Amino acid sequence: MAKIDRVKDLPVWFDLEKYCQAETFGDKEWFEQLAYRKWLLTNNPEYPIRRTITRAIAKEITYKDENGEIVSDGALLFAGEVAMDDAEAMSEWRKWVGNAASALRESPFAVEWDNKYIKNAQPVSSMTIGDMHGVLVQGALTTKRSGTSSLLQDYIDTFKCEAVSRKAIYHRPFALEPVIRAAVMINLDATDGEIKQGIDMWLKEVRANQQTKAKRQKPSHTNWARYGLLPYLDLLIWAMETDTNIPDRVMSAAVSKYDAGEANLRKTLVLLAADLMASLSTLQAMVAARVPADPEELKD
């Protein structure tokens, strides 16, 4: 493992001046930039927490047609998984992250997300075939792992139909963060007042039975630019990708003009970055709530 002993020994792509624009960021800009970096860390076995990465085993979905012939609809069904060792998982991540991470280092704020990527994180939206597909897929995986099959056949039966096109299933992008959802049926023959009263009653009942209550502590990004959050994450990703050790004293001096020392780095920035890379759900919900729904866009 290589080691960086001085700030001037950092790679040539790193320039703190590239990150000055972050001082003007609001909720949306922070979400866009942090979400992209979280995406780059997908399947990293060491960060933000040490975890076991598995490789999925898939098989084709087959069924008998009306003539009793066994046919395949071309879809793949989860069949099992095997664990990778840490070295293999890190090697796979390094191969996957390379090009995207390199592009980010050239221009750290080049990525800009379209509003449609966070629209389905809105608290209320119409259910689509894509939403139902997601529910059935997750149910199929869960029941397969547990040895039961209640939703597995439902998934096969529903999505082998020719009438359900791939475009219909995938037309709505999925939110980056997992979103707990509940399906609701609304009688549109009822008045608006009756519907609102019904939703209030339904919500109270669901919340009463919900194990984890919805809590929100608004993330304060006031100091994130001063801390050097984005340059820290970019250097961290580069260090893991290249198997390089950047000591905290060097990292602290590199990522901020207000070097507060390695002890402060460990107590603030390191913990903040890990927490955000573990979940951006609160920030995503705040941004999504401000994105107006566009029914015409959902028809594309």
Side-chain angles (χ1 to χ4, degrees):
M1 174 183 285
K3 182 178 179 181
I4 301 291
D5 285 318
R6 300 170 298 179
V7 172
K8 67 178 184 179
D9 294 331
L10 288 168
V12 294
W13 62 262
F14 182 77
D15 182 357
L16 193 57
E17 294 301 318
K18 290 182 179 180
Y19 296 88
C20 290
Q21 185 182 342
E23 296 175 1
T24 66
F25 280 2
D27 296 342
K28 182 176 184 293
E29 292 79 15
W30 276 113
F31 175 75
E32 289 173 346
Q33 300 306 323
L34 291 171
Y36 190 72
R37 285 156 176 85
K38 184 179 179 186
W39 175 71
L40 291 179
L41 289 164
T42 301
N43 287 333
N44 185 297
E46 297 182 358
Y47 192 83
I49 58 173
R50 190 171 183 83
R51 58 200 174 110
T52 300
I53 304 298
T54 58
R55 180 189 295 113
I57 303 172
K59 66 179 181 181
E60 284 189 311
I61 294 177
T62 59
Y63 58 94
K64 290 184 180 181
D65 63 13
E66 57 188 14
N67 298 318
E69 298 287 334
I70 296 178
V71 296
S72 170
D73 66 358
L76 293 177
L77 177 67
F78 175 86
E81 58 186 19
V82 293
M84 296 185 191
D85 62 38
D86 288 348
E88 181 185 11
M90 184 59 79
S91 176
E92 289 296 315
W93 175 77
R94 284 169 176 156
K95 285 188 281 188
W96 174 82
V97 79
N99 291 336
S102 295
L104 184 68
R105 290 163 195 152
E106 289 299 315
S107 182
F109 302 143
V111 61
E112 184 175 348
W113 292 70
D114 191 283
N115 284 341
K116 67 183 180 181
Y117 288 102
I118 54 174
K119 274 190 175 179
N120 71 320
Q122 290 176 331
V124 179
S125 59
S126 298
M127 176 174 276
T128 68
I129 292 176
D131 297 324
M132 183 171 65
H133 175 266
V135 170
L136 287 175
V137 168
Q138 290 303 315
L141 298 185
T142 300
T143 55
K144 181 69 177 180
R145 292 188 182 108
S146 64
T148 59
S149 59
S150 59
L151 275 176
L152 188 58
Q153 193 59 46
D154 291 342
Y155 170 72
I156 296 172
D157 290 343
T158 301
F159 290 96
K160 74 183 182 185
C161 301
E162 292 183 5
V164 182
S165 70
R166 186 169 295 274
K167 180 179 179 182
I169 293 174
Y170 293 107
H171 80 274
R172 175 186 283 180
F174 290 95
L176 280 163
E177 298 298 310
V179 178
I180 299 173
R181 290 192 178 276
V184 181
M185 295 183 66
I186 297 177
N187 178 3
L188 293 180
D189 287 333
T191 66
D192 288 359
E194 291 168 340
I195 290 173
K196 291 175 182 177
Q197 182 180 11
I199 289 177
D200 286 343
M201 293 172 59
W202 170 85
L203 182 58
K204 288 179 182 177
E205 182 179 352
V206 171
R207 288 296 196 204
N209 296 325
Q210 189 177 357
Q211 292 182 352
T212 304
K213 304 298 181 184
K215 297 179 181 179
R216 175 177 300 171
Q217 183 176 357
K218 182 178 179 180
S220 175
H221 50 68
T222 305
N223 295 316
W224 291 359
R226 185 169 63 86
Y227 290 165
L229 177 58
L230 294 179
Y232 169 78
L233 284 169
D234 290 354
L235 278 176
L236 182 66
I237 292 170
W238 174 82
M240 289 188 290
E241 183 187 355
T242 58
D243 194 23
T244 301
N245 174 28
I246 304 178
D248 289 344
R249 58 178 174 78
V250 177
M251 186 71 84
S252 178
V255 301
S256 174
K257 297 176 181 177
Y258 313 95
D259 182 8
E262 57 185 299
N264 190 68
L265 177 92
R266 288 191 287 268
K267 288 190 297 184
T268 56
L269 186 55
V270 171
L271 298 179
L272 171 66
D275 184 56
L276 290 169
M277 291 299 96
S279 176
L280 289 169
S281 59
T282 300
L283 190 57
Q284 176 182 260
M286 289 168 52
V287 176
R290 298 171 188 162
V291 178
D294 183 356
E296 291 301 316
E297 187 172 301
L298 295 179
K299 295 178 182 178
D300 294 340

